[in-house]
Coordinates of all heavy atoms in Angstrom, one line a residue:
A1645 N -61.0 76.0 157.4 CA -60.7 76.9 156.4 C -61.3 76.6 155.0 O -60.9 77.2 154.0 CB -59.1 77.0 156.2
A1646 N -62.2 75.7 155.0 CA -62.8 75.3 153.7 C -63.3 76.5 152.9 O -64.1 77.3 153.5 CB -63.9 74.2 153.9
G1647 N -63.0 76.6 151.7 CA -63.5 77.7 150.8 C -62.6 78.9 150.9 O -62.9 79.9 150.2
L1648 N -61.6 78.9 151.7 CA -60.7 80.1 151.9 C -59.3 79.8 151.2 O -58.9 78.6 151.2 CB -60.5 80.5 153.3 CG -61.7 81.0 154.1 CD1 -61.4 81.1 155.6 CD2 -62.2 82.3 153.5
P1649 N -58.6 80.7 150.8 CA -57.3 80.5 150.2 C -56.2 80.2 151.2 O -55.2 80.9 151.3 CB -57.0 81.8 149.4 CG -57.7 82.8 150.2 CD -58.9 82.2 150.8
V1650 N -56.4 79.1 151.9 CA -55.5 78.7 153.0 C -55.0 77.3 152.7 O -55.8 76.4 152.5 CB -56.1 78.7 154.4 CG1 -55.2 78.2 155.5 CG2 -56.6 80.1 154.7
A1651 N -53.6 77.1 152.6 CA -53.0 75.8 152.4 C -52.4 75.3 153.7 O -51.7 76.0 154.3 CB -52.0 75.9 151.3
V1652 N -52.8 74.1 154.1 CA -52.3 73.5 155.3 C -51.7 72.2 155.1 O -52.2 71.3 154.3 CB -53.5 73.3 156.3 CG1 -53.0 72.8 157.6 CG2 -54.2 74.7 156.5
G1653 N -50.5 71.9 155.7 CA -49.8 70.6 155.6 C -49.2 70.2 156.9 O -49.1 71.0 157.8
R1654 N -48.8 68.9 156.9 CA -48.2 68.4 158.1 C -46.7 68.6 158.1 O -46.0 68.2 157.1 CB -48.6 66.9 158.3 CG -48.2 66.4 159.6 CD -48.7 65.0 159.8 NE -48.4 64.4 161.1 CZ -48.8 63.2 161.6 NH1 -49.5 62.4 160.8 NH2 -48.5 62.8 162.8
A1655 N -46.1 69.2 159.1 CA -44.6 69.4 159.1 C -44.2 69.7 160.5 O -45.0 70.1 161.4 CB -44.2 70.5 158.1
D1656 N -42.9 69.6 160.8 CA -42.3 69.9 162.0 C -41.9 71.4 162.0 O -41.3 71.9 161.1 CB -41.0 69.1 162.2 CG -40.5 69.2 163.7 OD1 -40.4 70.3 164.2 OD2 -40.1 68.1 164.2
A1657 N -42.4 72.2 163.0 CA -42.1 73.6 163.1 C -40.6 73.9 163.2 O -40.2 75.1 163.0 CB -42.9 74.3 164.2
G1658 N -39.8 72.9 163.6 CA -38.4 73.1 163.6 C -37.7 72.9 162.3 O -36.5 73.2 162.2
R1659 N -38.4 72.4 161.3 CA -37.8 72.2 160.0 C -38.9 72.2 159.0 O -39.5 71.2 158.5 CB -37.1 70.8 159.9 CG -36.3 70.6 158.6 CD -35.7 69.3 158.5 NE -34.6 69.2 159.5 CZ -34.2 68.0 160.1 NH1 -34.9 66.9 159.9 NH2 -33.2 68.0 160.9
L1660 N -39.3 73.4 158.6 CA -40.4 73.7 157.7 C -40.1 73.4 156.2 O -39.0 73.8 155.8 CB -41.0 75.1 157.9 CG -41.5 75.4 159.2 CD1 -41.8 76.9 159.4 CD2 -42.9 74.7 159.5
P1661 N -41.0 72.8 155.4 CA -40.7 72.5 154.0 C -40.9 73.7 153.1 O -41.6 73.7 152.1 CB -41.7 71.4 153.7 CG -42.8 71.7 154.6 CD -42.3 72.3 155.9
V1662 N -40.2 74.8 153.5 CA -40.3 76.0 152.6 C -38.9 76.6 152.5 O -38.0 76.4 153.3 CB -41.3 77.1 153.3 CG1 -42.7 76.6 153.4 CG2 -40.8 77.5 154.7
R1663 N -38.7 77.5 151.5 CA -37.4 78.1 151.2 C -37.2 79.2 152.2 O -38.1 79.7 152.9 CB -37.4 78.6 149.8 CG -38.4 79.7 149.5 CD -38.3 80.1 148.1 NE -39.4 81.0 147.7 CZ -39.5 82.3 148.0 NH1 -38.5 82.9 148.7 NH2 -40.5 83.0 147.6
D1664 N -35.9 79.6 152.3 CA -35.5 80.7 153.1 C -36.2 82.0 152.7 O -36.4 82.3 151.5 CB -34.0 80.9 153.0 CG -33.2 79.8 153.6 OD1 -33.8 78.8 154.1 OD2 -31.9 79.9 153.5
G1665 N -36.6 82.8 153.7 CA -37.2 84.1 153.4 C -38.5 84.1 152.6 O -38.8 85.1 151.9
V1666 N -39.3 83.1 152.8 CA -40.5 83.0 152.0 C -41.6 83.8 152.5 O -42.5 84.2 151.7 CB -40.9 81.5 152.0 CG1 -41.4 81.1 153.4 CG2 -42.0 81.2 150.9
A1667 N -41.6 84.2 153.8 CA -42.8 84.8 154.4 C -42.6 86.3 154.8 O -41.6 86.6 155.5 CB -43.3 84.0 155.6
Q1668 N -43.4 87.2 154.3 CA -43.4 88.6 154.8 C -43.9 88.7 156.2 O -43.5 89.6 157.0 CB -44.1 89.5 153.9 CG -43.5 89.8 152.6 CD -43.6 88.7 151.6 OE1 -44.6 88.0 151.5 NE2 -42.5 88.4 150.8
R1669 N -44.8 87.8 156.6 CA -45.4 87.8 157.9 C -45.5 86.3 158.4 O -45.9 85.4 157.7 CB -46.8 88.3 157.9 CG -47.0 89.8 157.3 CD -46.4 90.8 158.3 NE -46.6 92.1 157.8 CZ -45.7 92.8 157.1 NH1 -44.5 92.2 156.7 NH2 -45.9 94.1 156.7
V1670 N -45.1 86.2 159.7 CA -45.3 84.9 160.4 C -46.2 85.2 161.6 O -45.9 86.2 162.4 CB -43.9 84.4 160.9 CG1 -44.2 83.2 161.9 CG2 -43.1 83.9 159.7
L1671 N -47.2 84.4 161.8 CA -48.1 84.5 162.9 C -48.1 83.2 163.6 O -48.2 82.1 163.0 CB -49.6 84.8 162.4 CG -49.8 86.0 161.6 CD1 -51.2 86.0 160.9 CD2 -49.6 87.3 162.4
A1672 N -48.0 83.2 165.0 CA -47.8 81.9 165.7 C -48.2 82.0 167.1 O -48.0 82.9 167.8 CB -46.4 81.4 165.6
N1673 N -48.9 80.9 167.5 CA -49.1 80.6 169.0 C -48.4 79.2 169.2 O -49.0 78.2 169.2 CB -50.6 80.4 169.2 CG -50.9 80.0 170.6 OD1 -50.2 80.2 171.5 ND2 -52.1 79.3 170.7
P1674 N -47.1 79.3 169.5 CA -46.3 78.1 169.6 C -46.7 77.2 170.8 O -47.2 77.7 171.8 CB -44.8 78.6 169.7 CG -44.9 80.0 169.3 CD -46.3 80.5 169.7
P1675 N -46.3 75.9 170.7 CA -46.6 75.0 171.8 C -45.5 75.1 172.9 O -44.4 74.5 172.8 CB -46.5 73.6 171.2 CG -45.6 73.8 170.0 CD -45.8 75.2 169.5
W1676 N -45.7 76.0 173.9 CA -44.7 76.2 174.9 C -44.9 75.3 176.1 O -44.2 75.5 177.1 CB -44.8 77.7 175.4 CG -44.5 78.7 174.3 CD1 -45.4 79.6 173.8 CD2 -43.3 78.9 173.6 NE1 -44.8 80.4 172.8 CE2 -43.5 80.0 172.7 CE3 -42.0 78.3 173.7 CZ2 -42.5 80.4 171.8 CZ3 -41.0 78.8 172.8 CH2 -41.3 79.8 171.9
G1677 N -45.8 74.4 176.1 CA -45.9 73.4 177.2 C -47.1 73.7 178.1 O -47.2 73.0 179.1
G1678 N -47.9 74.6 177.7 CA -49.1 74.9 178.5 C -50.2 73.8 178.2 O -50.2 72.7 178.8
Q1679 N -51.1 74.1 177.3 CA -52.1 73.1 176.9 C -51.5 72.1 175.9 O -52.0 71.0 175.8 CB -53.3 73.9 176.3 CG -54.1 74.8 177.2 CD -55.3 75.3 176.5 OE1 -56.2 74.6 176.0 NE2 -55.4 76.6 176.5
V1680 N -50.5 72.5 175.2 CA -49.9 71.6 174.2 C -48.4 71.6 174.5 O -47.7 72.6 174.5 CB -50.2 72.1 172.8 CG1 -49.5 71.2 171.8 CG2 -51.7 72.2 172.5
A1681 N -47.8 70.4 174.6 CA -46.4 70.2 174.8 C -45.7 70.3 173.4 O -46.2 69.8 172.4 CB -46.1 68.9 175.5
P1682 N -44.5 70.8 173.4 CA -43.7 70.9 172.1 C -43.4 69.4 171.7 O -43.1 68.6 172.5 CB -42.5 71.7 172.5 CG -42.4 71.6 174.0 CD -43.7 71.5 174.5
G1683 N -43.4 69.2 170.4 CA -43.0 67.9 169.9 C -42.0 68.0 168.8 O -41.6 69.1 168.4
G1684 N -41.6 66.9 168.3 CA -40.6 66.9 167.2 C -39.3 67.6 167.6 O -38.8 67.4 168.7
L1685 N -38.7 68.3 166.7 CA -37.4 69.0 166.9 C -37.5 70.0 168.0 O -36.5 70.3 168.7 CB -36.9 69.6 165.6 CG -36.6 68.7 164.5 CD1 -36.3 69.4 163.2 CD2 -35.4 67.8 164.9
L1686 N -38.7 70.6 168.2 CA -38.9 71.7 169.3 C -38.8 71.1 170.7 O -38.4 71.7 171.6 CB -40.2 72.4 169.1 CG -40.4 73.2 167.8 CD1 -41.6 74.0 167.9 CD2 -39.2 74.0 167.5
A1687 N -39.2 69.8 170.8 CA -39.1 69.1 172.1 C -37.7 69.0 172.6 O -37.3 69.1 173.8 CB -39.8 67.8 172.1
A1688 N -36.8 68.7 171.6 CA -35.4 68.6 172.0 C -34.6 69.9 172.1 O -33.7 70.0 172.9 CB -34.7 67.7 170.9
S1689 N -35.1 70.9 171.4 CA -34.4 72.2 171.4 C -35.4 73.3 171.2 O -35.6 73.7 170.0 CB -33.3 72.2 170.4 OG -32.7 73.5 170.4
P1690 N -36.0 73.9 172.2 CA -37.0 75.0 172.0 C -36.4 76.2 171.3 O -37.1 76.9 170.6 CB -37.4 75.3 173.4 CG -37.1 74.1 174.2 CD -35.9 73.5 173.6
A1691 N -35.0 76.4 171.4 CA -34.4 77.5 170.7 C -34.5 77.4 169.2 O -34.4 78.4 168.5 CB -32.9 77.6 171.2
R1692 N -34.7 76.1 168.8 CA -34.8 75.9 167.3 C -35.9 76.7 166.7 O -35.9 77.0 165.5 CB -34.9 74.4 167.0 CG -34.7 74.1 165.6 CD -34.8 72.6 165.3 NE -34.6 72.3 163.9 CZ -33.4 71.9 163.4 NH1 -32.4 71.7 164.1 NH2 -33.3 71.7 162.1
W1693 N -37.0 76.9 167.5 CA -38.1 77.6 167.0 C -37.7 79.0 166.5 O -38.1 79.4 165.4 CB -39.1 77.8 168.2 CG -40.1 79.0 168.0 CD1 -40.0 80.2 168.5 CD2 -41.2 79.0 167.1 NE1 -41.0 81.0 168.1 CE2 -41.8 80.3 167.2 CE3 -41.8 78.1 166.3 CZ2 -42.9 80.7 166.5 CZ3 -43.0 78.4 165.6 CH2 -43.5 79.7 165.7
W1694 N -36.9 79.7 167.2 CA -36.5 81.1 166.8 C -35.6 81.0 165.6 O -35.7 81.9 164.7 CB -35.8 81.8 168.0 CG -36.7 82.0 169.1 CD1 -36.7 81.3 170.3 CD2 -37.9 82.9 169.2 NE1 -37.7 81.8 171.2 CE2 -38.5 82.7 170.5 CE3 -38.4 83.8 168.3 CZ2 -39.6 83.4 170.9 CZ3 -39.6 84.5 168.7 CH2 -40.1 84.3 170.0
A1695 N -34.7 80.1 165.5 CA -33.8 79.9 164.4 C -34.6 79.7 163.1 O -34.3 80.3 162.1 CB -32.8 78.8 164.6
E1696 N -35.6 78.8 163.2 CA -36.4 78.5 162.0 C -37.3 79.6 161.6 O -37.5 79.9 160.4 CB -37.2 77.2 162.3 CG -38.0 76.7 161.1 CD -37.1 76.1 160.0 OE1 -35.8 76.3 160.1 OE2 -37.6 75.6 159.0
M1697 N -37.8 80.4 162.6 CA -38.6 81.5 162.3 C -37.8 82.6 161.6 O -38.2 83.2 160.6 CB -39.3 82.1 163.5 CG -40.4 83.2 163.2 SD -41.4 83.7 164.6 CE -40.2 84.6 165.5
R1698 N -36.6 82.8 162.1 CA -35.7 83.7 161.4 C -35.4 83.3 160.0 O -35.3 84.1 159.1 CB -34.4 83.9 162.2 CG -33.3 84.6 161.6 CD -33.6 86.1 161.5 NE -32.6 86.9 160.8 CZ -32.5 87.0 159.5 NH1 -33.4 86.4 158.7 NH2 -31.5 87.7 159.0
R1699 N -35.2 82.0 159.8 CA -34.9 81.5 158.4 C -36.0 81.8 157.4 O -35.8 82.2 156.3 CB -34.6 80.0 158.5 CG -34.2 79.4 157.1 CD -34.1 77.9 157.2 NE -35.4 77.2 157.3 CZ -36.2 77.0 156.2 NH1 -35.8 77.4 155.0 NH2 -37.3 76.3 156.4
V1700 N -37.3 81.6 157.8 CA -38.4 81.7 156.9 C -38.9 83.1 156.7 O -39.6 83.4 155.7 CB -39.6 80.8 157.3 CG1 -39.1 79.3 157.4 CG2 -40.2 81.2 158.6
L1701 N -38.5 84.0 157.6 CA -38.9 85.4 157.5 C -38.1 86.1 156.4 O -36.9 86.0 156.3 CB -38.7 86.2 158.8 CG -39.9 86.3 159.7 CD1 -39.5 87.1 161.0 CD2 -41.1 87.1 159.0

Side-chain angles (χ1 to χ4, degrees):
L1648 296 173
V1650 176
V1652 181
R1654 190 172 184 181
D1656 192 315
R1659 185 182 292 150
L1660 295 168
V1662 296
R1663 60 180 172 81
D1664 294 359
V1666 69
Q1668 285 77 37
R1669 302 291 184 267
V1670 171
L1671 303 169
N1673 174 27
W1676 298 114
Q1679 294 187 57
V1680 180
L1685 295 172
L1686 300 188
S1689 176
R1692 190 180 182 99
W1693 157 261
W1694 298 107
E1696 186 66 354
M1697 189 171 71
R1698 170 69 182 86
R1699 182 185 73 80
V1700 302
L1701 262 178

